Amino acid sequence: MNSVTVRVPAKVNLQLAVGPLRDDGYHDLVNVFHAVSIFDEVTAVAETGMSVRVEGESADQVPEDGDNLAIQAAVALARHAGRSYGVSLAIRKAIPVAGGMAGGSADAAAALVACNELWGLGLPLEDLMEIASDLGSDVPFALLGGTAVGTGRGERLAPLEVGGTFHWVFALADGGLSTAKVYGECDRIRQEGGEPVGHPRAAEPLLAALRAGDARALGAELTNDLQPAALSLRGSLARTLQAGRAHGALGAIVSGSGPTCAFLAESEAHAETLAAALKTENVARDVLTAHGPVPGPTVVQGPPGRAQRIPLSHDESGQS
Ligand code: ATP
């Protein structure tokens, strides 16, 4: 086989609880990840060297060299296999770049799955997960998909059962926000406020709303500790969130480190009317609708009979 294409979803954080700054510069997190139907596509073609090319949404802001997370994933996988494999990666982006929807992590996860197939390694998802957690704290969830609670830096994952499909609207902003700067601003605001920062915990009412598939309850429980920092760095997001609430969103939140804003709708039809209203209000560069949860990386083109998601051997997510 000399070409494999993998489709991989974006994520939104339904809860992002940030603990105090640790001595190693990281924060303990509780992160409820939710994969939504905005997809990048990564095609891996057998080659002698390693290369990457990017097209689509904000492609000019994505590196086409060794800084690209997808190439880093391919290099890490070849190293793990102890062989000098080559690959040419083509990434078609739809996930907003530096938008708080983990597009780079998604591409890294897709590259791991694509190269595992392309090179015929047959590594189980558990092995790919280990490589993924060295690549970045959001990469393990990008391999898993569905909905999951992440702890530690976000890399220790427990899949969650979800009792339905949720409908979302995403308001994309002009330009990205650096995740590191948003965490820095969060620390600065907290230091200024002088309040002690507690150990983060998963919110039980949020988990119950997910289990029940109750969009109204979920909307009321969405939280993001990075939101004040994202709003401090990008004041215009307050107007975007307000516009969504005014048009009946069940919940309105900055996605991850922003600047994308996520709105929970009552139904698919409500998502469409909410998206149209946000477009008219002119509070976003672009507005997308999506649903979740969706499965993680899926091989959409490869050898016959293998055009399926690579299963996790102890998959409890029930969403594949
Ligand atoms: P997160 O939500 O995980 O913090 P994000 O969605 O805010 O991430 P990304 O889209 O992953 O941000 O991009 C973050 C940075 O990573 C960008 O500045 C981009 O140039 C770089 N990057 C490296 N590889 C990729 C890739 N394959 N796709 C997108 N960005 C990449």
Side-chain angles (χ1 to χ4, degrees):
M1 174 205 348
N2 53 20
S3 166
V4 178
T5 297
V6 170
R7 198 172 77 143
V8 65
K11 62 88 182 151
V12 60
N13 305 77
L14 307 180
Q15 179 189 3
L16 178 42
V18 180
L21 184 62
R22 302 190 319 206
D23 290 343
D24 64 2
Y26 288 104
H27 300 79
D28 276 320
L29 303 176
V30 167
N31 218 329
V32 180
F33 294 107
H34 182 70
V36 293
S37 60
I38 299 171
F39 299 101
D40 280 1
E41 256 183 31
V42 176
T43 298
V45 177
E47 277 287 346
T48 42
M50 293 266 185
S51 64
V52 62
R53 136 180 96 68
V54 186
E55 59 175 48
E57 159 76 27
S58 305
D60 56 332
Q61 290 162 41
V62 180
E64 289 187 315
D65 56 18
D67 285 341
N68 192 295
L69 279 169
I71 274 292
Q72 289 176 17
V75 168
L77 183 65
R79 192 174 299 135
H80 180 93
R83 297 276 299 273
S84 59
Y85 293 107
V87 68
S88 152
L89 296 174
I91 303 176
R92 190 193 304 200
K93 290 210 71 74
I95 304 174
V97 175
M101 299 194 80
S105 302
D107 297 346
L112 287 177
V113 171
C115 292
N116 190 35
E117 285 284 302
L118 183 74
W119 298 335
L121 300 176
L123 293 177
L125 196 54
E126 285 84 348
D127 286 25
L128 300 185
M129 283 292 217
E130 244 180 75
I131 303 170
S133 60
D134 288 338
L135 289 165
S137 24
D138 285 351
V139 186
F141 174 73
L143 265 180
L144 196 63
T147 306
V149 184
T151 49
R153 283 183 294 119
E155 81 288 7
R156 289 199 299 268
L157 288 170
L160 286 176
E161 256 184 65
V162 173
T165 294
F166 297 102
H167 297 279
W168 297 93
V169 177
F170 294 96
L172 277 47
D174 268 322
L177 271 178
S178 144
T179 304
K181 275 197 188 140
V182 175
Y183 272 98
E185 181 67 1
C186 174
D187 293 334
R188 192 195 65 75
I189 292 171
R190 284 173 165 185
Q191 216 166 19
E192 212 172 69
E195 295 280 314
V197 179
H199 195 68
R201 276 175 210 295
E204 188 44 49
L206 177 108
L207 303 184
L210 283 168
R211 280 192 296 269
D214 183 338
R216 193 161 288 279
L218 180 64
E221 293 298 332
L222 300 173
T223 56
N224 179 359
D225 284 356
L226 291 180
Q227 186 159 309
L231 291 178
S232 162
L233 295 172
R234 191 71 69 84
S236 59
L237 297 181
R239 206 177 131 235
T240 310
L241 291 173
Q242 187 43 39
R245 288 188 200 105
H247 286 285
L250 301 178
I253 197 169
V254 169
S255 176
S257 53
T260 305
C261 291
F263 303 94
L264 184 59
E266 285 173 35
S267 61
E268 191 174 357
H270 179 221
E272 292 303 333
T273 51
L274 181 54
L278 287 170
K279 279 183 191 163
T280 319
E281 295 266 354
N282 227 357
V283 289
R285 169 172 66 83
D286 198 4
V287 182
L288 306 175
T289 56
H291 62 272
V294 294
T298 305
V299 178
V300 290
Q301 175 253 313
R306 298 286 298 278
Q308 288 301 324
R309 179 181 175 217
I310 313 252
L312 177 63
S313 58
H314 56 272
D315 196 343
E316 292 157 8
S317 66
Q319 285 136 13
S320 51

